[in-house]
Amino acid sequence: IGLGASSDGHYSYDDFKDAQFPDVIESAIRKGFVPVKPDQDNKIYFRPKEYATREFVAYTAVHALNYQLNEEKVDEWADGAEITYPKEASKAVSTQILSLIDNSFLPNRELTVREKEIALKRIAEIIKSLDNNGEGKGVVQYVAGVRTTELNYELDEINRKV
């Protein structure tokens, strides 16, 4: 994921002085990993001393993992109307980063220690599955019946073609 620190000293959120690592937060904001919305006074607060909510974790995780966000199955959830970022919540649940609790997402509830452990473990598994150095990673397997073409990348010295 790689969050290089912002070193220009300009912050897009107004409570950066409360943050232990303001440059890392700024980098995450600039990369689109963190949802930021101005309040009625056009101020943006990150609130670094507050615990992360389930919806914040969902948003941050799926954007950091660069997922395509085309699912939205929150209508079936008991609290689907309360969710600000339904595509992110849906993706976090479908990828098992977070789970529903009695068919509810509980977007504003603070993440529990156990949920944090599960989310971090699942994110690490997802990142590892994208690693091309592992056994069986980066290998394309075709379903029966899919047409494939063999390509020959050897240079034809006589005709100067590939």
Side-chain angles (χ1 to χ4, degrees):
I1 295 172
L3 288 178
S6 163
S7 60
D8 63 8
H10 296 4
Y11 299 99
S12 56
Y13 60 105
D14 292 288
D15 56 349
F16 67 90
K17 291 179 182 176
D18 295 336
Q20 185 175 4
F21 302 105
D23 291 343
V24 174
I25 295 168
E26 182 62 26
S27 180
I29 289 171
R30 290 182 184 187
K31 290 181 182 201
F33 300 167
V34 177
V36 289
K37 288 186 177 181
D39 65 9
Q40 64 273 10
D41 297 323
N42 206 29
K43 301 275 186 182
I44 296 173
Y45 294 102
F46 179 75
R47 295 178 174 78
K49 294 185 178 186
E50 292 182 11
Y51 289 104
T53 64
R54 289 171 49 86
E55 189 162 29
F56 176 84
V57 171
Y59 186 101
T60 303
V62 301
H63 283 276
L65 292 168
N66 201 27
Y67 274 119
Q68 294 295 318
L69 300 174
N70 50 15
E71 301 179 37
E72 190 174 325
K73 299 179 181 177
V74 300
D75 293 340
E76 304 163 4
W77 302 349
D79 58 353
E82 299 172 30
I83 299 171
T84 305
Y85 303 101
K87 291 180 180 183
E88 287 83 349
S90 183
K91 182 59 84 174
V93 170
S94 71
T95 57
Q96 301 174 336
I97 293 169
L98 294 171
S99 299
L100 295 179
I101 300 167
D102 296 326
N103 197 42
S104 294
F105 184 69
L106 307 172
N108 298 314
R109 197 191 80 195
E110 294 172 358
L111 199 69
T112 66
V113 172
R114 182 69 182 134
E115 287 172 324
K116 177 189 77 167
E117 291 168 351
I118 292 169
L120 290 173
K121 181 180 180 198
R122 184 65 187 124
I123 290 166
E125 290 170 353
I126 292 167
I127 292 169
K128 186 176 180 182
S129 75
L130 302 173
D131 181 12
N132 288 334
N133 296 328
E135 185 177 319
K137 306 292 187 279
V139 175
V140 177
Q141 294 181 344
Y142 294 99
V143 176
V146 172
R147 291 175 47 190
T148 62
T149 303
E150 291 293 323
L151 297 176
N152 181 352
Y153 291 103
E154 293 182 25
L155 182 62
D156 179 344
E157 289 292 332
I158 297 171
N159 297 314
R160 299 278 184 207
K161 296 185 209 173
V162 174

